[in-house]
Amino acid sequence: MVGVSDGHTSAPAPASARTRVGRPLLSLALASMMDEVHAHSGAVYLLAADQPVLEMAVMAGLPRAFAAPWERVGLSAPIPVAEAARERRLVWVGGEEEMARRFPRIAVVLPYPFALAAVPVATPSKVYGAVFVTWPGAHPPDLSDRERDHLLAACGRLAVRLERAVEDSVPPHAEPDLLGVPPVGGPAGTLGTVEAARMVARLPYGLCSLDLHGRVSFATAAAAELIGVPVSQLLGSQLWAAVPWLNDPVYEDRYRAALLSQHSTSFVALRPPGDWLSFRLYPSTTGLSVRITRARAVAEMNRSGPRPGDSPARLVTISQVLSLAGALTEAVGVQDVVQLVADEIAPAVGSQALVLLGSRAGRLHVLGHRGYSDARIVERFDGMPLTEPTPGTQALTTGVPAFFDSREQLERLYPGRQATPDGFAAWAYLPLIASGRPVGTCVLAYAERHPFPADERAVLTSLGGLIAQALERAVLYDAKHQLAHGLQAALLPHTLPVLPGIEAAARYLPATQGMDIGGDFYDLVPVHGKAAAVIGDVQGHNVTAAGLMGQIRTAVRAYTTVGQTPEEVMRSTNRLLIDLGADLFASCLYLGLDPQRGRAVMARAGHPPPLLRRPDGRVRVLDLAGGPLLGVDGAAAYPTTDVELTPGCVLALYTDGLIEAPGVDIEDALAELGGQLAETGDRPLDELADELVHRGAAARERSDDVALLLLRADD
């Protein structure tokens, strides 16, 4: 029997709407639908008129607080009611494990055994909203044809009535929620008859009744005595709010579990200083009956102290899950995910070791592990075909979690595990499913036998969903990172040529922000007993900049090889860049080197000036003539400057990433670089290159990449 609750503040439908339709449309349709399929809770959502959002219009059978996170949801949200409206089909979730696999956001908040169906409310031409209804955990895992037909027909009828209401200009509005009829006698403290009250009072334990909101509507004197709070303070209050030592989310969680699953449940609580009480909750669609007794066995066990090998009970609360989810969003690469799972999730669920498994080319791949004394036990699974019958491959390929509370249970199903003892006694194999496909398996190992009750399985499976999303992002990041480094390595010289009379060393550092790839380049080209050196910087540090950089470097090398002068090389490269139409500019510094004559001819296109260190240690900035950036003006000229390069002189060519940093004056940075070069310029060139790039601006967080080319004239 369903009645209208007067405790909810949702605004009723306007009088005009009720007059035209006759009765509260949504409430009656929902109540009838639930009655037809024997569901015990449900809600109707309406699609907002101006945006793709579903708004809860009425809820029945449970307080709205149970569905508070989903009172207003986007049509694209990964939850059943949104999926039903979005795809115009019935969505069925047969239990808590399926909920955890498919809709981890719901399972994290409601990790209880219940079944759910979500149905679109739609005509052939328009979607008006959706309905969900739930059943207790005892519901069969499949939706019957009768239930399916009733739900689809009822939602179809509701859609037609909504269509007519809109045509009559009386669109539906939110209606009061439907909750169970209050117990007979209300808060008066009796059961309806004097004899019934006497009977209850004679029972050797305490009794109290809670409504669907958890408020005490009846309590016996024995219950008040056991709890230590007068009946007058209990009535009308939530039990965990009226009793300070019951004010713990764990106990409220038991109330929510009982109501949603409609399964009796229990918990034990310590009434200070040392009295243990047992609470047994018996739910129905109208509320809960609670039996309270002394838990003597628990008290005796507590006084005797913990037994060896006992592990503390753990419950991952919603706040913990949210914290873990937040931590996982900070993971960048795969090893970050492994470390976070080891540091945050495994301790929270009582696990002593973990393995993250992925797949590649039809084979198992060990992504990382923690807690194993012998790494070979884990790494022997690396490269194993996915067809091998192991719990890790089964979880990855089927997407179904597996829980083994003892070694005997695991080895009974997988005899091959006897050959690889790892010293652990219980395991959880969690499939990591992201974007609808398995991306790996998370294996949690426990040092002692570990039972996995239904609510813990649901929470662990939900955590698997969070890990999967982080792992998917991390794998993508690592792939992009490897691609970036591979592309950068392919575009820059692998080694510098050995030239007579010239010693050279080069360094490249990618930006610490972005894709670790950029447009900085350098090269050293031998030309008929002479040489040419070039350094440049294409604006940006992304794949486009890197690709253009490769074209420019190739062009400079080609123009040099055919014998063009430094000025001609710059003009040709400038015209090429304009012809490519890339809309990117590049700075460049080009040197024609003649070691035998001790001279260098330089041309500059908007590039930072080089530094010259003479053999006596003096350093000066070479203020060279030059032209604009490459790619700006097709008719630009690039005059050259002759510079003396005697034996022992060191030329430092660099890109602006070496000297530019937020809050640092460019002149000061250039002076600091010159000072370092003066102080350490006599060192071997490779040591000098390392010294220059690992001090100053280049060693800090870099928004730009850095290239450095050092040239020393030999005798």
Side-chain angles (χ1 to χ4, degrees):
M1 187 69 183
V2 181
V4 178
S5 167
D6 57 3
H8 185 66
T9 58
S10 295
S16 61
R18 291 198 300 273
T19 300
R20 300 293 295 272
V21 177
R23 293 176 295 178
L25 171 61
L26 304 178
S27 302
L28 291 176
L30 180 60
S32 174
M33 194 183 313
M34 291 169 55
D35 186 58
E36 286 175 346
V37 298
H38 307 295
H40 102 280
S41 73
V44 178
Y45 285 80
L46 296 178
L47 189 62
D50 56 345
Q51 52 187 323
V53 171
L54 291 170
E55 298 175 328
M56 185 183 291
V58 62
M59 186 167 181
L62 289 174
R64 185 171 288 223
F66 277 63
W70 311 287
E71 284 199 72
R72 193 171 188 271
V73 298
L75 196 59
S76 61
I79 67 172
V81 70
E83 186 173 303
R86 185 173 64 247
E87 301 183 6
R88 297 173 69 106
R89 65 178 180 85
L90 186 148
V91 176
W92 166 250
V93 184
E96 70 274 19
E97 289 193 10
E98 186 178 357
M99 181 69 77
R101 289 198 304 273
R102 295 173 54 191
F103 304 102
R105 292 188 186 180
I106 293 179
V108 162
V109 179
L110 301 174
Y112 315 122
F114 67 97
L116 178 146
V119 190
V121 177
T123 63
S125 60
K126 185 174 181 179
V127 175
Y128 289 92
V131 169
F132 80 75
V133 292
T134 70
W135 291 264
H139 189 284
D142 296 318
L143 189 67
S144 70
D145 292 340
R146 173 191 165 279
E147 291 169 328
R148 180 181 295 271
D149 292 343
H150 272 302
L151 290 173
L152 292 173
C155 287
R157 290 192 298 269
L158 177 58
V160 171
R161 297 194 67 184
L162 289 173
E163 183 178 51
R164 292 173 182 169
V166 172
E167 290 173 354
D168 292 341
S169 299
V170 283
H173 295 275
E175 299 173 6
D177 289 347
L178 303 174
L179 293 181
V181 175
V184 177
T190 69
L191 290 177
T193 68
V194 173
E195 186 53 38
R198 289 173 178 170
M199 177 194 72
V200 171
R202 288 192 291 265
L203 293 174
Y205 43 76
L207 288 175
C208 66
S209 179
L210 309 182
D211 66 13
L212 292 176
H213 292 286
R215 296 183 295 245
V216 178
S217 55
F218 171 84
T220 64
E225 182 180 355
L226 286 167
I227 293 174
V229 177
V231 172
S232 60
Q233 293 184 25
L234 292 173
L235 294 178
S237 301
Q238 291 177 319
L239 190 60
W240 47 89
V243 184
W245 47 272
L246 286 177
N247 189 13
D248 188 305
V250 172
Y251 305 135
E252 184 181 355
D253 179 77
R254 296 298 84 204
Y255 141 80
R256 293 162 63 89
L259 273 188
L260 192 55
S261 69
Q262 291 292 292
H263 288 172
S264 60
T265 186
S266 62
F267 62 86
V268 177
L270 175 65
R271 174 188 168 183
D275 294 328
W276 288 90
L277 299 181
S278 173
F279 293 79
R280 185 77 180 177
L281 283 63
Y282 299 91
S284 75
T285 57
T286 60
L288 299 97
S289 297
V290 183
R291 187 184 70 176
I292 308 169
T293 59
R294 295 187 183 277
R296 300 184 186 280
V298 176
E300 291 295 330
M301 182 181 66
N302 185 65
R303 281 193 288 269
S304 65
R307 292 174 296 178
D310 284 353
S311 59
R314 292 180 179 267
L315 177 65
V316 180
T317 64
I318 294 172
S319 59
Q320 284 179 291
V321 170
L322 293 176
S323 174
L324 297 174
L328 285 169
T329 62
E330 300 174 2
V332 177
V334 170
Q335 292 309 310
D336 292 336
V337 175
V338 175
Q339 194 62 49
L340 277 168
V341 174
D343 293 344
E344 302 280 349
I345 292 180
V349 300
S351 170
Q352 285 75 46
L354 72 96
V355 183
L356 276 188
L357 302 172
S359 64
R360 187 169 56 209
R363 293 184 177 273
L364 207 61
H365 179 47
V366 177
L367 302 176
H369 57 85
R370 297 290 188 278
Y372 288 85
S373 57
D374 187 353
R376 291 173 297 180
I377 294 176
V378 176
E379 291 168 357
R380 69 180 298 271
F381 292 99
D382 197 66
M384 177 180 288
L386 294 180
T387 54
E388 285 288 323
T390 70
T393 56
Q394 289 290 103
L396 193 152
T397 55
T398 65
V400 178
F403 301 93
F404 304 96
D405 56 19
S406 67
R407 173 171 291 279
E408 294 76 19
Q409 187 182 41
L410 176 65
E411 292 177 351
R412 185 167 60 250
L413 293 175
Y414 298 95
R417 283 282 291 164
Q418 298 178 10
T420 57
D422 55 14
F424 293 100
W427 298 264
Y429 288 83
L430 309 177
L432 305 181
I433 300 174
S435 304
R437 63 182 184 86
V439 297
T441 302
C442 177
V443 185
L444 297 173
Y446 297 77
E448 305 291 338
R449 293 171 67 102
H450 185 93
F452 295 94
D455 55 351
E456 184 175 353
R457 294 185 181 207
V459 169
L460 288 174
T461 308
S462 299
L463 289 173
L466 297 174
I467 297 170
Q469 294 172 18
L471 183 61
E472 185 182 44
R473 292 192 303 269
V475 169
L476 180 60
Y477 174 85
D478 283 351
K480 291 171 64 178
H481 193 264
Q482 292 172 6
L483 173 64
H485 276 272
L487 178 59
Q488 192 79 55
L491 295 175
L492 291 174
H494 295 290
T495 59
L496 294 176
V498 177
L499 301 174
I502 294 290
E503 181 186 356
R507 295 293 183 269
Y508 173 82
L509 295 179
T512 56
Q513 304 169 16
M515 281 190 61
D516 286 358
I517 189 170
D520 287 16
F521 66 97
Y522 60 85
D523 204 354
L524 187 61
V525 185
V527 187
H528 309 301
K530 300 180 182 179
V534 64
I535 191 165
D537 182 3
V538 179
Q539 67 180 116
H541 45 94
N542 50 39
V543 173
T544 302
L548 190 60
M549 172 267 283
Q551 291 176 294
I552 293 175
R553 176 177 165 248
T554 302
V556 169
R557 177 175 278 265
Y559 296 142
T560 299
T561 303
V562 298
Q564 289 190 358
T565 65
E567 183 179 8
E568 290 172 336
V569 170
M570 295 293 270
R571 283 204 307 265
S572 299
T573 306
N574 178 50
R575 287 195 296 268
L576 173 67
L577 189 55
I578 292 174
D579 291 342
L580 290 174
D583 295 328
L584 292 178
F585 307 132
S587 69
C588 187
L589 179 64
Y590 183 91
L591 284 72
L593 301 171
D594 189 348
Q596 293 182 351
R597 295 178 54 235
R599 308 292 295 176
V601 181
M602 304 186 185
R604 185 162 70 104
H607 198 80
L611 297 179
L612 175 64
R613 183 186 187 274
R614 297 194 176 279
D616 59 7
R618 289 181 300 162
V619 173
R620 70 184 182 98
V621 178
L622 298 180
D623 187 14
L624 307 176
L629 293 169
L630 301 178
V632 174
D633 180 5
Y638 296 93
T640 59
T641 303
D642 281 9
V643 177
E644 185 179 8
L645 193 63
T646 57
C649 287
V650 176
L651 268 174
L653 318 180
Y654 55 91
T655 56
D656 52 12
L658 185 66
I659 57 174
E660 289 185 355
V664 178
D665 183 81
I666 190 71
E667 297 295 333
D668 293 340
L670 191 56
E672 181 185 354
L673 179 63
Q676 294 175 19
L677 183 61
E679 180 183 349
T680 59
D682 290 329
R683 294 185 182 180
L685 219 53
D686 280 320
E687 291 184 17
L688 177 59
D690 290 335
E691 177 76 18
L692 294 181
V693 299
H694 289 106
R695 289 179 60 183
R700 298 188 287 267
E701 287 290 315
R702 297 181 300 277
S703 59
D704 198 2
D705 39 348
V706 173
L708 173 68
L709 178 61
L710 297 180
L711 304 171
R712 175 180 282 151
D714 291 338
D715 294 329

